[in-house]
Amino acid sequence: MADTTVYRASTTAPVNIAVVKYWGKRDPKLNLPTNSSLSVTLSQADLRTLTTASCSATYPASEGDSLLLNGEPSDVSGARTQACFRELRARRAALEAADPSLPKLSTFPLRLVSENNFPTAAGLASSAAGFAALVRAVANLYELPASPSELSKIARQGSGSACRSLFGGYVAWRMGSAADGSDSMADQVAEAAHWPEMRALILVASAAKKGVSSTSGMQQTVATSGLFQERITRVVPENMERMEKAIAERDFAAFAEVTMRDSNSFHATCADTYPPIFYMNDVSRAAIRAVEAINAAAGRTIAAYTFDAGPNAVIYYLEKDTEAVVGTFYHVIGGEVEGWKRSVISGLKPTM
Ligand code: 2P0
């Protein structure tokens, strides 16, 4: 009898915000980076992608694979999405070859339905949560026995930063050196529970789509910035080492200094790109000044800013300093921003 079952699996994936930034590819096809990076995973209650993957022999082959993103049909023909589908199908096909009693899911069209609870492509790492959720949803659907690090190698091919959204807490993406990308994957540096007082405040300076995509921006930086060489050979290796030590020792002042210095270094290489790339705006710069004022008033470092490829600020602080940090922020630049989100650090428990 024909198999009319619709096979289905759902999962969520969190947003991660880098404190040592990924910027630059040594292999654009495999998304192999020019430097390692390190991120903090935000709570899925606040920022996450929810993805349901399904497949069925009853789905018309002529329609192929499809993705509905926030209710709109989204193109899946791009090389990165195709690479993820290809890798996942190959692993499923290997299981089916080893056990002929398994349904041949690898041969069925895939349908994905995905929703973000935050602005897409506004520098809030939507591609990271998106590809991490896509890969894990299909891996669950295919019942692949793959570890998060294994899945991170697939998600990396969708979007580099996505490899870090397969873990909770504090996550490193080791750049690796193999030409085939087999050692370029993420691992967990520390659980969220290791430093439960850590908090993040997200300041939405603008929810508009960004001007220069990360992919093309970083390619221009690699090609034209002299400062970039200094960043990948000296600045980032030092920052990775200092950051891992700061996290291990729960040393907030050290964590904050590396976070702010690395964000500044990344945006300096953007400014050193020719023609220059500017992701921060006047509200972003006001946020930097607010953090400096907060730290000066406290007489110690209690807040750290970081900015990705967009104007939105993420401010890290400890729970005990909530009033001094969040209170001051609302008071000083509250009127200038489009929105706020407060988040704790996620232990990454899938919500489905
Ligand atoms: C990061 N960013 O480490 C850095 C900081 C933006 C600034 O990863 O081309 O969307 O898909 O691999 O991962 C954004 O780049 O780029 C990013 P692709 P991705 O979070």
Side-chain angles (χ1 to χ4, degrees), residues 16-23 25 28 31-32 35 37-39 80 123 125-128 131 156-164 173 210 213-216 218-219 231 262 266-267 270 279 306-310:
N16 73 76
I17 303 292
V19 288
V20 178
K21 309 286 189 192
Y22 152 52
W23 197 252
K25 301 175 203 271
N31 271 346
L32 301 179
N35 63 260
S37 55
L38 201 150
S39 61
R80 289 138 166 261
S126 57
S127 71
F131 275 106
R156 186 204 76 225
Q157 296 178 52
S159 185
S161 53
C163 73
R164 300 186 310 238
W173 172 12
K210 60 194 171 197
S213 79
S214 299
T215 306
S216 86
M218 63 177 86
Q219 291 302 88
R231 173 165 167 79
D262 197 81
F266 154 52
H267 289 280
C270 289
Y279 287 120
T306 188
F307 300 84
D308 284 339

Side-chain angles (χ1 to χ4, degrees), residues 299-311:
R300 62 196 169 89
T301 307
I302 60 170
Y305 56 80
T306 188
F307 300 84
D308 284 339

Side-chain angles (χ1 to χ4, degrees), residues 133-200:
L134 178 152
V135 167
R136 211 171 51 186
V138 178
N140 290 352
L141 175 71
Y142 287 173
E143 299 184 329
L144 302 182
S147 68
S149 278
E150 258 328 285
L151 293 183
S152 83
K153 284 195 262 182
I154 305 177
R156 186 204 76 225
Q157 296 178 52
S159 185
S161 53
C163 73
R164 300 186 310 238
S165 275
L166 271 313
F167 295 88
Y170 302 81
V171 185
W173 172 12
R174 314 289 176 187
M175 64 181 289
S177 56
D180 65 356
S182 54
D183 59 354
S184 186
M185 62 183 124
D187 64 58
Q188 190 180 53
V189 168
E191 305 254 3
H194 166 75
W195 206 351
E197 302 84 10
M198 186 66 81
R199 296 289 179 273

